[in-house]
Amino acid sequence: MNATDTIIDEEVFRFSGQSLIDTWSLRDQLVSGIARYSKWLVSDLHLTMQRIMELADSFPFWQRRKHTGRPPVKERDLLVAFLLRQLFNATFRQLQALLELFREYFCLDAVPHHTVLSRKNRSARWSTIWQRFHEFVLGTMPKRKVVIATDATGFSGRKRPWREVDHGLKATQDWVKTHAAIETDSFIVLSYELTASNVHESQMFAGVWDGLPENIKPIRSLADSAYHGETCLLAARQHGAVPLHGIRKNARHFPKPETLYQKMASFWRHWPNRAAALYGKRNHAETAFSMIGGRFGHRIRCRSETGRKNEVRSKIAIHNIRMLAWMNFNSMN
């Protein structure tokens, strides 16, 4: 949710007979909405940290214990450390100081050295742990019907973010391209795949949708014209969703459509206003990417390929945790 967004209570627009609504009644509702959002900004850090602790304590790690030598760092403590690193957008050296500060709050047995944190972050085991943790976080949510927006973004160590780089240069640079499926109502990342920057979005659409959690039922797929191919449309249909993707500029109306693309193009041409209204929430995917980059940084600091991907995975994990804290805050207020 952006700082400029304002939620107007539906009670304002309920009329019985002839009613008068003026700027004063609207102001009362707007002020209450702004006050609630201001209260969330005050509680954002605390509620997110509390959610991190709850999930870290309940997540099964299955860590192997050595009987000789120096005892290993608990993977539970490492998970907390990596999430805090993204929450404060810190380096590994700064993270070590942060862990000393929050050692008592998170009940850490020991504060690992920044070299240990860097080495663990680029390990292949943590790639598996991040995938399991992503599924675990989404598994805590109830079963529901969702509208999914699919899009791609990129992370790198460069100063300019993904949206400001020319499309032709992206394929030649060292970006970690993130193909993600976003729940439009909650901005939660339901599934994602990480690739090189020269991999086209349509190639990863089916893989991203195959990784959707089991406790959701997709009802509509929203995506831009990069996903208008028959393979992408068929992948959405196989999961029970109605695809409403962008079409080519020269697309025409088909009197007797046969393929999925022809049916979708005919719907766009025959009912453009209705299609545009349903398609409007596709931008929520870009909003989610903007929230991740704006709150946790669009740059990654690691150099190894595994470390760079694990850093992106940690950004997605802390974003989902923050959105869960936001949803819990809304339900209580």
Side-chain angles (χ1 to χ4, degrees):
M1 182 175 182
N2 297 326
T4 56
D5 293 341
T6 302
I7 299 177
I8 303 178
D9 199 322
E10 60 180 355
E11 294 291 339
V12 178
F13 302 101
R14 291 184 179 178
F15 303 97
S16 58
Q18 293 183 350
S19 300
L20 176 65
I21 182 170
D22 54 19
T23 56
W24 296 105
S25 58
L26 277 177
R27 185 200 63 175
D28 295 339
Q29 297 295 330
L30 292 176
V31 168
S32 63
I34 294 175
R36 182 175 62 172
Y37 182 63
S38 178
K39 185 178 179 181
W40 156 251
L41 292 179
V42 173
S43 307
D44 179 13
L45 187 61
H46 169 67
L47 294 178
T48 304
M49 292 174 59
Q50 185 179 10
R51 195 70 174 179
I52 290 174
M53 184 168 56
E54 294 173 355
L55 292 171
D57 290 338
S58 57
F59 178 65
F61 286 96
W62 307 318
Q63 184 178 8
R64 177 176 175 269
R65 299 291 181 180
K66 296 181 179 179
H67 298 287
T68 59
R70 180 180 298 178
V73 181
K74 284 186 176 181
E75 290 181 341
R76 180 260 184 194
D77 297 348
L78 290 174
L79 177 66
V80 171
F82 293 145
L83 293 174
L84 284 180
R85 176 174 178 249
Q86 298 303 329
L87 184 62
F88 291 94
N89 195 16
T91 64
F92 285 114
R93 293 179 184 271
Q94 294 170 338
L95 176 60
Q96 185 178 349
L98 285 172
L99 294 178
E100 291 285 358
L101 180 63
F102 295 112
R103 180 173 181 175
E104 184 177 353
Y105 180 82
F106 287 103
C107 303
L108 304 177
D109 290 347
V111 175
H113 196 261
H114 63 85
T115 57
V116 176
L117 294 169
S118 177
R119 186 175 68 252
K120 294 293 185 181
N121 178 72
R122 62 178 181 265
S123 65
R125 173 169 175 78
W126 270 96
S127 300
T128 305
I129 292 178
W130 281 125
Q131 185 62 34
R132 288 181 47 237
F133 184 71
H134 175 77
E135 297 172 356
F136 174 79
V137 172
L138 297 181
T140 60
M141 302 183 67
K143 293 183 178 181
R144 62 204 183 279
K145 297 180 180 179
V146 298
V147 177
I148 298 177
T150 308
D151 207 345
T153 188
F155 297 90
S156 73
R158 302 175 182 274
K159 293 183 179 180
R160 297 177 64 188
W162 177 263
R163 291 181 59 86
E164 296 180 4
V165 179
D166 183 75
H167 182 74
L169 294 176
K170 294 176 182 177
T172 62
Q173 296 177 347
D174 55 342
W175 294 84
V176 177
K177 194 170 184 178
T178 306
H179 309 261
I182 313 295
E183 183 178 350
T184 57
D185 292 335
S186 63
F187 300 99
I188 287 180
V189 180
L190 298 174
S191 176
Y192 64 92
E193 294 285 346
L194 306 180
T195 65
S197 56
N198 58 358
V199 178
H200 195 266
E201 290 90 330
S202 60
Q203 296 178 258
M204 304 305 301
F205 183 87
V208 170
W209 273 66
D210 288 340
L212 293 175
E214 298 180 355
N215 58 351
I216 66 167
K217 182 180 180 181
I219 59 176
R220 189 177 302 113
S221 170
L222 306 178
D224 57 25
S225 57
Y227 303 91
H228 74 265
E230 199 71 20
T231 304
C232 299
L233 302 179
L234 182 60
R237 288 297 301 164
Q238 289 175 345
H239 287 81
V242 177
L244 185 59
H245 300 182
I247 58 176
R248 292 190 291 260
K249 293 182 179 180
N250 60 348
R252 61 185 179 84
H253 172 69
F254 296 88
K256 296 181 180 180
E258 298 179 358
T259 64
L260 291 174
Y261 176 77
Q262 292 177 355
K263 294 178 181 179
M264 186 177 66
S266 297
F267 179 74
W268 270 102
R269 294 308 184 194
H270 197 69
W271 293 285
N273 293 338
R274 183 180 178 186
L278 296 174
Y279 186 72
K281 286 190 175 182
R282 187 206 65 82
N283 293 332
H284 287 200
E286 298 179 0
T287 302
F289 295 149
S290 178
M291 294 167 69
I292 296 174
R295 180 62 178 82
F296 311 114
H298 67 274
R299 301 177 65 181
I300 51 180
R301 297 182 172 91
C302 297
R303 297 183 179 180
S304 66
E305 182 180 356
T306 305
R308 289 158 61 85
K309 289 185 177 181
N310 284 344
E311 188 171 356
V312 174
R313 292 185 179 101
S314 62
K315 289 181 182 293
I316 295 175
I318 188 62
H319 168 74
N320 284 349
I321 292 174
R322 184 170 179 258
M323 290 298 98
L324 289 177
W326 161 251
M327 293 169 61
N328 187 44
F329 173 83
N330 273 341
S331 63
M332 297 176 60
N333 292 274

